[in-house]
Amino acid sequence: SKATVSVLYWTTMALLSLVFMAAAAELPLLGRTNAVDTIRGLKVVGGTAFAAAETSGLVAVDVRKPEEARELWRVWTGGDARGVEVVKDTVYVADSRSGLQVVQNGSAVGGFSEPCLEVHLSGDVAYVRSTRGDVVAFNVTNPASNPEFLGRYNESIVEAFFVVGTTVYTIAYVGSESDRYFKTIDFSSPSSPVLLGSVDANRTFANSLFVSDTTAYVTGLWNLLLIFDVSDPSSPSFTTRYDTRYATDVDVVNGTAYIVNFNRFEVVDVDSDTPSLLGTLAVKEGNRVQVTGTSAYIAGHNGIQILNVETPSSPILLGEFNPPGGDGRAVAVSEDYAYLVGDNTLLQVVDVRDPSSPTVVGVNNDFEDGRAVQVAGNTVYVGGCGFFYAFDVSNPQQPRLLGTYEIRSRRGTVHCALSVHVIGTVAYVGSDLNGFKVLDVSEPSAITLIGSYGLSRIEGVFVSGTTAYIASTSRGLVLLDVRTPSSPTLIGRLGTFRAATAVAVRGATAYVVDREGLHVIDVGTPSMPAVIGFFEVIPSASDVKMVGDTAVVSFDAGVQLVDVSNPSAMRRIDGYVSPSRVRGVAVVGNLAYIAEKGMSVIELWKETLVPLVPPTAEPTVGPTLAPTAPAKSNKKELVIILILVGAALVLAAVLGMLWWRKQQQQHHDRIEERNNNVDMATRDNTFSPDLRV
């Protein structure tokens, strides 16, 4: 199943990270930008919004003045904050990795290691939806101490839930994921919760559930809002539905439902038998919504949006908390500033004069999804989806768009520029499906095409002299002659890679990374490139930069430094493990700037005064400092032990998941047998139309 594969994948990734951390000393982290990850949970109390923001943890935001919303503080909750609830001065966070976390006055004070996705409070009991699909109850009478386990309901796999008193309302399934039910559970005796009632939810994949008075509202994957009558929790019944787009959350106040989907906010009258639309507003992608007074708060991939809903027919945007965030894809550095591009934000300008406190000083997110970046003087060139951009950054606080070049097919299909290399007034751009482009950027406001070469899935471009070295996930390493920019021609190709993602060149040697690791290629004879060395980097190397005989390689879990002085016997020097996925790296002097959730700065080595001489074919940007390789440490025995332990744990995880699936099937059989004996009268009130769209 998908759940089994997911568990095994992340178990393996965690073990590989442990092995890597033991095999290489941890490089010191100097600083990280104040990025905020996707917000999955939201609770607004008074003038403060508490956001559960995945790897960013719990973020408290002052929203008293919507037009000036600002961050107050944050607490890391263990890795993946998903849900949040607030009672007085205590915040409860559901974290899918570390479990239920308790925060008071901006500091973590306790927790319980039950990985969970959602949390609700009722009295002195906290209820969580675990990652296994159980509903678990905890005693939180004394919030400053660790929550006390009370009991769990695991008779079905819960997708969404809500709590009123001691009754838990759920959307859940047993056995087949296509069979879903709206269930009510009595938790008056937490150690032995029992099922009160159930009604067929007709295959609705639930995103959220909310209960107001005697009515339950469920947002579903199939573009709808389902409404259930729960006046008698032991006999819930379907009432009606409202067709909407992909609804992710709903809040209901006085008969009015406020629905958020990916990019639209809807106000719906649900006080009648037939729900009707009152008003809409186009918004940025949202995951959660809460209405307080005349304000609606929408949280998602782009922070928090604050709306005035006093007039339901015409909601108005009041302000936003729009911090730098998203997955960083690439980073470039010049003097005092780093330029970060990635998902949800096209360009962030980061002041790195103090590496311990990198600060975002300018943002341009008029367009989204930046994939590649290079800086030349006061101009930053960005490869994005649909366009290649040029920005004026002479004023770092206000990066200004100068010009664009459209990256589309003849049929108008949007393609992404995944790699950029600019030399002088010429930009070499590689795209996913739109080939290799040579662009004239002498006038950034009027970028023009010089020449092109048909090639797909270009992830990396490096130009040295008159040769363009291209890393293609489908074609491997491709060498093009670009001495005549209007007509690039093929020189040579080496296709023995598993999805090549980046390339760097030093003299007559090319360094290519792919899903398996770092390949060293002799390109002295361009028509016949040949592999002369390989170093495994797991999982999935994404970028490579060269400093002397050291390769700085970014991969999913962090960064590794590899000594390539002897290609046939390369060795790891050092490493850094990131809390989030790493996509790219830039190196200036002894510092590495990492594109991840935001941007981090790490110290690679202590500075020396020995400058490196760059290849004569490449422009000299500034002095580069050579690494002082630390003394070689013998950790071979420790690595072998950890690998063996890791393999044993993976095997145990596989056997455990197989056993769990067997238990689930047996449990499903028992439930089916029991349900066959239940009076079917409770189902006569259910609806029959197929809700799938």
Side-chain angles (χ1 to χ4, degrees), residues 287-353:
N287 294 320
R288 290 290 176 259
V289 61
Q290 181 182 334
V291 176
T292 301
T294 60
S295 298
Y297 302 84
I298 299 173
H301 295 284
N302 297 283
I304 301 173
Q305 301 166 76
I306 307 169
L307 279 58
N308 183 319
V309 292
E310 186 173 8
T311 304
S313 60
S314 56
I316 302 170
L317 179 66
L318 295 177
E320 297 180 72
F321 170 65
N322 189 22
D327 291 322
R329 292 275 187 165
V331 60
V333 183
S334 177
E335 298 181 349
D336 296 335
Y337 296 95
Y339 304 90
L340 178 69
V341 299
D343 298 342
N344 303 317
T345 302
L346 183 66
L347 175 65
Q348 298 176 39
V349 183
V350 185
D351 186 336
V352 292
R353 285 175 289 189

Side-chain angles (χ1 to χ4, degrees), residues 13-157:
M13 292 303 100
L15 292 171
L16 291 173
S17 295
L18 287 173
V19 172
F20 165 63
M21 284 188 287
E26 182 78 357
L27 289 166
L29 171 68
L30 298 182
R32 179 175 285 127
T33 58
N34 209 29
V36 174
D37 208 343
T38 298
I39 298 175
R40 297 293 182 182
L42 178 69
K43 189 70 175 182
V44 181
V45 178
T48 304
F50 299 90
E54 292 189 351
T55 59
S56 300
L58 174 66
V59 181
V61 181
D62 183 350
V63 292
R64 289 174 296 179
K65 294 182 178 180
E67 69 280 3
E68 299 177 6
R70 63 186 180 87
E71 181 178 333
L72 296 174
W73 49 263
R74 70 173 64 188
V75 175
W76 190 62
T77 59
D80 188 22
R82 290 286 177 148
V84 61
E85 186 63 270
V86 181
V87 177
K88 296 181 180 179
D89 63 343
T90 304
V91 185
Y92 301 86
V93 181
D95 192 292
S96 71
R97 298 181 187 174
S98 62
L100 177 62
Q101 302 298 311
V102 184
V103 177
Q104 289 183 329
N105 301 317
S107 300
V109 297
F112 191 95
S113 57
E114 175 82 33
C116 48
L117 300 169
E118 193 175 357
V119 58
H120 295 287
L121 267 289
S122 180
D124 292 328
V125 180
Y127 300 84
V128 303
R129 175 168 63 93
S130 77
T131 53
R132 296 190 302 179
D134 304 342
V135 175
V136 188
F138 297 95
N139 183 345
V140 291
T141 303
N142 183 5
S145 62
N146 288 331
E148 175 191 357
F149 173 78
L150 295 176
R152 77 172 63 234
Y153 180 84
N154 58 2
E155 297 296 311
S156 54
I157 298 175

Side-chain angles (χ1 to χ4, degrees), residues 458-460 471-473 498-503 512-515 541-543:
I458 300 174
E459 294 274 351
S472 166
T473 57
R498 291 195 60 191
T501 55
V503 57
V512 179
V513 293
D514 65 1
R515 292 177 182 173
S542 57
D543 198 4

Side-chain angles (χ1 to χ4, degrees), residues 574-595:
D574 224 329
Y576 165 77
V577 175
S578 170
S580 57
R581 186 179 182 185
V582 174
R583 300 292 188 87
V585 62
V587 179
V588 176
N590 67 322
L591 303 180
Y593 302 82
I594 302 171

Side-chain angles (χ1 to χ4, degrees), residues 615-653:
T616 56
E618 298 180 41
T620 302
V621 176
T624 308
L625 300 176
T628 301
K632 188 175 182 180
S633 63
N634 186 9
K635 300 182 181 179
K636 185 175 181 180
E637 295 82 359
L638 178 59
V639 173
I640 293 174
I641 292 172
L642 281 171
I643 290 175
L644 292 175
V645 171
L649 288 173
V650 171
L651 178 61

